[in-house]
Amino acid sequence: MFDLERIIRPNIKKLQPYSSARDEFKELTKDMVFLDANENPFETGFNRYPDPQQTGVKQLLAMQKGVKTDNVLLGNGSDEVLDLIFRAFCQPEKDSVITLPPTYGMYKVLAAINTIKNIEIPLKPSFQLDYNSIKKRFAPTTKIVFICSPNNPTANSFNVEIIKKILCNFDGIVVIDEAYIDFSTQKSWVTQLADFPNLIVTQTLSKAYGLAGIRLGICYASKEIITVLNRIKPPYNINILTQQKAVEVLSNQHKTSLEIEQLVNERQQLTEILKNIKIIKKVYPSDTNFILVKVDDAVKRYYQLIKKGIVVRNRSNQILCDNCLRFTVGTPKENKKLIKILSEL
Ligand SMILES: *Cc1c(COP(=O)(O)O)cnc(C)c1O
């Protein structure tokens, strides 16, 4: 049985969080005089500290995802969210996490930064989860399983029933990283928060929303988990410019939806065309905004593409990804250029 109290790090349980001026006095009415935070009083639109709870952004997200604002925590990119999760639940030098390579490289880096053992359980050659091997590593000191679905770099989504089995049988936190969910045919796990008290879903505005530059990562979880993470997050982690831009873009879903539709269309077309290119041995099906391909010689093709002015990602050092390159889906014009150059190699 999942017991949140058991898995919170003891020092975090005892922590007296920093209380900011804006935490202690929240009613920002126009006629109040604010002499509490040592800010510069001359009005620029930016002279005040940002809302530490990012109420405007959270209200929009909560409404759109069908959750409550206290199921939401925002970070300076998903990377900050993932780091907060490590620091809330994993004791350095003692605890471990499970990751499922080939996958997003940040989980491993964050484990190393926090001196947490990273137990790697490779996917099956089909790029699906190897439940029997994962299950064997469940232990009281194993605090988190990171599941990236759709997965980067393999581009597929994982079997829902197996994810459910992990959620039901693991006593620690299950993080489902949904950075690519907006390009997927799968349903988001955000709607399942009430059923799984150990579930954390992370999303980002960096991919489908076209806002990688503003750094906004989102964490959805039970109110209890969010309360723990809120205790350790830097008070003003989301700046005013980011909050304003996020509200603007989230209020105009239509534009984002059109772009997603176009990118998914481009992805389908690109997938079919890539299958007929001589140097490409395999095109993996994609549920994301990128395509993984196996080529004859990844290093050679990677440098040839650079010479022609196209930068792609060489993933051939990762397990199960021998000679694999990852192509982000670009604009129609960029994709045509990629195809032309690949065909001429
Ligand atoms: C791109 C990506 C992210 C996004 O990270 P941000 O810090 O929000 O930009 C998260 N997870 C995965 C798997 C990604 O590929």
Side-chain angles (χ1 to χ4, degrees):
M1 270 306 288
F2 177 70
D3 176 6
L4 182 62
E5 288 302 309
R6 181 189 74 81
I7 67 156
I8 303 171
R9 259 171 74 186
N11 63 316
I12 302 299
K13 241 192 254 187
K14 278 187 282 178
L15 179 79
Q16 178 75 50
Y18 177 74
S19 181
S20 71
R22 278 305 101 81
D23 281 323
E24 286 175 11
F25 195 88
K26 295 181 174 123
E27 290 107 90
L28 294 169
T29 52
K30 283 239 157 45
D31 45 1
M32 280 284 183
V33 174
F34 284 99
L35 305 178
D36 58 344
N38 300 345
E39 296 149 330
N40 180 322
F42 301 111
E43 196 52 58
T44 60
F46 300 103
N47 56 314
R48 300 291 173 187
Y49 279 103
D51 172 7
Q53 281 306 322
Q54 308 102 17
T55 316
V57 184
K58 282 186 187 170
Q59 278 172 350
L60 275 169
L61 287 168
M63 193 179 69
Q64 290 170 5
K65 305 289 172 180
V67 298
K68 302 224 166 76
T69 50
D70 55 15
N71 297 122
V72 188
L73 175 125
L74 303 181
N76 184 7
S78 316
D79 294 341
E80 184 182 49
V81 169
L82 295 168
D83 189 49
L84 288 174
I85 296 169
F86 265 99
R87 288 191 287 136
F89 302 113
C90 296
Q91 254 190 294
E93 320 271 356
K94 268 186 81 176
D95 289 336
S96 45
V97 297
I98 294 176
T99 62
L100 312 164
T103 192
Y104 187 46
M106 268 321 272
Y107 315 135
K108 185 181 191 163
V109 173
L110 288 169
I113 291 171
N114 290 293
T115 42
I116 307 302
K117 186 172 158 205
N118 176 28
I119 301 170
E120 296 189 298
I121 301 174
L123 300 179
K124 292 179 174 177
S126 61
F127 290 160
Q128 281 298 327
L129 300 169
D130 180 356
Y131 180 68
N132 287 332
S133 305
I134 295 171
K135 180 181 67 178
K136 282 191 195 128
R137 307 308 297 268
F138 291 170
T141 52
T142 306
K143 294 295 183 66
I144 310 172
V145 178
F146 288 93
I147 302 174
C148 182
S149 187
N151 188 38
N152 177 6
T154 59
N156 62 308
S157 294
F158 296 132
N159 181 298
V160 172
E161 292 311 313
I162 298 182
I163 295 179
K164 234 177 233 171
K165 274 205 273 189
I166 296 173
L167 280 162
C168 292
N169 293 299
F170 180 54
D171 288 339
I173 297 276
V174 178
V175 175
I176 304 185
D177 184 338
E178 293 189 334
Y180 299 98
I181 193 67
D182 303 289
F183 303 105
S184 170
T185 51
Q186 299 285 317
K187 226 174 71 194
S188 167
W189 286 87
V190 166
T191 55
Q192 314 277 304
L193 286 180
D195 295 335
F196 302 108
N198 57 341
L199 170 63
I200 294 182
V201 178
T202 62
Q203 296 185 356
T204 177
L205 299 192
S206 295
K207 308 286 157 63
Y209 285 83
L211 294 174
I214 73 169
R215 310 305 301 126
L216 195 78
I218 309 149
C219 172
Y220 299 97
S222 71
K223 181 179 164 200
E224 290 74 21
I225 291 176
I226 296 296
T227 302
V228 175
L229 298 177
N230 256 324
R231 286 162 58 82
I232 60 173
K233 88 168 180 65
Y236 303 116
N237 62 331
I238 312 296
N239 69 68
I240 291 179
L241 289 165
T242 294
Q243 293 190 42
Q244 287 175 348
K245 191 68 189 174
V247 165
E248 178 195 319
V249 171
L250 288 168
S251 308
N252 185 4
Q253 286 290 336
H254 185 63
K255 179 171 175 283
T256 305
S257 303
L258 286 178
E259 286 177 2
I260 293 169
E261 197 182 321
Q262 188 178 16
L263 289 170
V264 169
N265 271 332
E266 282 292 314
R267 178 188 79 202
Q268 310 296 42
Q269 289 179 34
L270 198 53
T271 299
E272 291 314 309
I273 298 168
L274 290 172
K275 285 178 183 166
N276 297 317
I277 290 176
K278 200 173 74 230
I279 64 159
I280 294 180
K281 302 300 164 199
K282 183 159 186 177
V283 182
Y284 295 90
S286 173
D287 219 14
T288 64
N289 68 332
F290 59 84
I291 301 173
L292 188 75
V293 299
K294 196 183 274 300
V295 296
D296 53 352
D297 183 340
V299 174
K300 176 173 154 192
R301 302 309 179 188
Y302 173 79
Y303 285 107
Q304 282 179 323
L305 283 168
I306 287 186
K307 256 198 183 143
K308 301 279 184 186
I310 296 188
V311 188
V312 301
R313 196 93 153 114
N314 181 3
R315 297 284 77 183
S316 54
N317 288 331
Q318 291 211 17
I319 187 165
L320 301 174
C321 294
D322 277 349
N323 281 314
C324 283
L325 298 176
R326 192 189 71 194
F327 303 150
T328 304
V329 177
T331 62
K333 196 176 153 201
E334 290 170 337
N335 301 333
K336 279 200 189 82
K337 180 170 173 182
L338 174 69
I339 291 162
K340 179 166 183 289
I341 290 168
L342 285 171
S343 321
E344 289 166 0
L345 292 181

